[in-house]
Amino acid sequence: SAVISQKPSRDICQRGTSLTIQCQVDSQVTMMFWYRQQPGQSLTLIATANQGSEATYESGFVIDKFPISRPNLTFSTLTVSNMSPEDSSIYLCSVARDRGKGEAFFGQGTRLTVV
Amino acid sequence: DAKTTQPNSMESNEEEPVHLPCNHSTISGTDYIHWYRQLPSQGPEYVIHGLTSNVNNRMASLAIAEDRKSSTLILHRATLRDAAVYYCILRDRVGDSSYKLIFGSGTRLLVRP
């Protein structure tokens, strides 16, 4: 298994500001992902965090809005930039150790409210 | 991306078996079928996965149709703790060394005492 620590667990932010969310894993993992879950909705994949290179973003998500870093195999950050109330969501970090068919693990999420 | 179709919600009585269906008619030959569940106020957790054969683990069983176009997650004795949203996901391989999980809308399971 993999233990994931996300910080902060929740925050209330002013519109126009930025928030950086940290994801720390207790062991090296191959894959790291960032998801968004809007209230009452399913999870939407934002991007795959690639170690040592630029993240791979899904359709509808751009680097200027959601810059991602992954400096090593156990840590990643997601920044939500120039926030608006529509960015109010739960943001989740997910990791997978196996390149093949193995299971993925999820953090508890960061609950973001933009006012 | 291969898609899955699940009922929006299902209900069960406590200690009875639950069969959660999933249709994935566009599945490709190398797609694995994964099931995750999300308990209230928590991140998703892995339940089970399979490719072609039925699978069992301590949490559940996965029955996969012979043509692989559908599958069923079986909880043998539902408990109140099993009340969650259950997601059936096709493992989407990207390149030859990575994969990502694309979530559908899932099935909300309600367990009655």
Side-chain angles (χ1 to χ4, degrees):
Chain A
S1 66
V3 178
I4 301 171
S5 173
Q6 260 188 255
K7 293 181 181 179
S9 58
R10 58 178 62 229
D11 207 342
I12 301 174
C13 300
Q14 296 291 323
R15 67 178 67 201
T17 63
S18 298
L19 176 71
T20 295
I21 302 168
Q22 298 181 359
C23 177
Q24 178 73 55
V25 193
D26 67 340
S27 58
Q28 292 185 349
V29 293
T30 305
M31 309 299 299
M32 295 184 80
F33 306 92
W34 286 98
Y35 288 84
R36 180 175 74 183
Q37 187 169 29
Q38 296 178 305
Q41 303 295 313
S42 180
L43 284 77
T44 301
L45 180 63
I46 297 172
T48 302
N50 300 310
Q51 194 253 333
S53 64
E54 193 171 284
T56 303
Y57 289 85
E58 297 298 306
S59 175
F61 297 95
V62 295
I63 188 172
D64 290 345
K65 177 66 176 178
F66 298 101
I68 289 171
S69 77
R70 188 181 174 189
N72 55 52
L73 294 177
T74 63
F75 186 78
S76 177
T77 66
L78 168 74
T79 299
V80 187
S81 303
N82 188 25
M83 289 183 285
S84 67
E86 292 70 36
D87 295 319
S88 297
S89 288
I90 297 174
Y91 292 85
L92 297 110
C93 172
S94 174
V95 305
R97 182 171 293 110
D98 208 323
R99 288 176 172 164
K101 58 187 183 296
E103 64 188 277
F105 303 92
F106 290 79
Q108 293 297 308
T110 296
R111 183 179 296 271
L112 171 62
T113 302
V114 183
V115 297
Chain B
D1 296 341
K3 295 292 189 289
T4 62
T5 304
Q6 299 177 253
N8 289 332
S9 64
M10 292 185 65
E11 292 189 21
S12 172
N13 294 318
E14 195 176 12
E15 298 191 0
E16 290 186 355
V18 181
H19 290 232
L20 299 169
C22 180
N23 288 318
H24 29 78
S25 58
T26 59
I27 189 171
S28 72
T30 55
D31 280 339
Y32 284 89
I33 302 161
H34 283 240
W35 283 81
Y36 286 75
R37 72 179 185 180
Q38 187 172 24
L39 302 172
S41 301
Q42 295 191 26
E45 64 175 351
Y46 167 83
V47 177
I48 200 167
H49 76 274
L51 183 62
T52 57
S53 304
N54 295 343
V55 183
N56 300 294
N57 66 20
R58 63 175 180 82
M59 290 182 68
S61 295
L62 177 60
I64 301 173
E66 192 170 339
D67 62 4
R68 299 203 336 120
K69 293 184 177 182
S70 65
S71 61
T72 302
L73 179 71
I74 302 166
L75 306 179
H76 296 287
R77 289 184 64 200
T79 69
L80 297 178
R81 284 195 68 255
D82 291 322
V85 179
Y86 287 79
Y87 295 99
C88 169
I89 304 167
L90 299 183
R91 195 281 306 275
D92 187 359
R93 182 185 287 273
V94 177
D96 59 3
S97 62
S98 63
Y99 78 92
K100 57 186 180 182
L101 296 175
I102 304 298
F103 285 76
S105 57
T107 296
R108 182 174 299 278
L109 175 65
L110 304 175
V111 180
R112 293 185 291 262

